[in-house]
Amino acid sequence: RLRSDLAPGVYLEVEVVANPDNLSLAVVDFEAGGRSSVTFSPDTGAVIRERKVQEAPRRVEGSYIHPLPATPLGQRFEGCVGVYLRSGSLAFFRRCAFSGEDVLRKGAWECTGFIADLNWVEGRLTPCIAFRDEGDYHVRISHVGPDPPQEPCKAKACAAAWSSLD
């Protein structure tokens, strides 16, 4: 579990070595019954925030923002993906890996910027990796520490850029 009130911050990085379909990195407030989450898709570059507003019948409200471009068409994300929490703000990172001619190249780090606050969190956040379909995924935690690969910027016009999932 990740505490969002730590200074200077906490960074969690996951290396995706094999991705047969689609995966995402999320932080979920399970102490609040798992009602709220923020999820990053390294394939699409989108961030989705969701909140369960009614149990039965189940009703979820959500919105999304697209701060990073999608990976090239037909290419599933492989590389590193991370989440950074600092002073009540949340940012995601990705670094794509490209293979060709028996050589693995890593691209530059990309960052969503601080795209969400943590006002919705009632306790500790739990990081989760979600796999869309079955497959031979190879994923490992590669780094946990106080510092991300680069300092996130404040996302420009962040509040206005969120679109409803409805």
Side-chain angles (χ1 to χ4, degrees):
R1 293 184 184 182
L2 300 175
R3 289 187 46 181
S4 60
D5 60 344
L6 296 176
V10 63
Y11 175 71
L12 169 72
E13 183 178 294
V14 175
E15 182 180 17
V16 180
V17 178
N19 178 8
D21 183 49
N22 189 313
L23 62 82
S24 56
L25 176 61
V27 288
V28 181
D29 189 0
F30 279 119
E31 289 186 16
R35 290 189 310 236
S36 300
S37 65
V38 177
T39 304
F40 174 60
S41 168
D43 287 291
T44 65
V47 178
I48 299 170
R49 58 183 178 193
E50 295 177 295
R51 183 173 66 94
K52 189 184 329 177
V53 293
Q54 186 173 310
E55 191 65 45
R58 183 182 166 112
R59 196 170 130 240
V60 177
E61 290 179 348
S63 56
Y64 69 96
I65 190 169
H66 219 226
L68 298 177
T71 55
L73 190 61
Q75 181 180 333
R76 291 189 169 81
F77 174 80
E78 291 180 356
C80 293
V81 61
V83 59
Y84 182 54
L85 306 170
R86 189 185 75 203
S87 302
S89 295
L90 173 69
F92 290 98
F93 291 83
R94 78 172 175 197
R95 184 178 192 187
C96 297
F98 306 97
S99 57
E101 299 182 25
D102 298 327
V103 176
L104 181 65
R105 280 187 309 116
K106 291 186 176 178
W109 279 105
E110 299 174 279
C111 181
T112 62
F114 285 117
I115 46 85
D117 63 38
L118 300 175
N119 293 337
W120 53 276
V121 178
E122 293 181 27
R124 293 184 192 155
L125 289 173
T126 302
C128 301
I129 299 172
F131 305 100
R132 185 173 65 183
D133 287 328
E134 292 181 27
D136 193 16
Y137 296 88
H138 293 269
V139 177
R140 70 179 185 91
I141 295 175
S142 55
H143 180 77
V144 177
D147 299 315
Q150 64 191 40
E151 185 63 27
C153 62
K154 180 78 172 161
K156 297 178 181 129
C158 186
W162 288 89
S163 300
S164 175
L165 287 173
D166 299 333

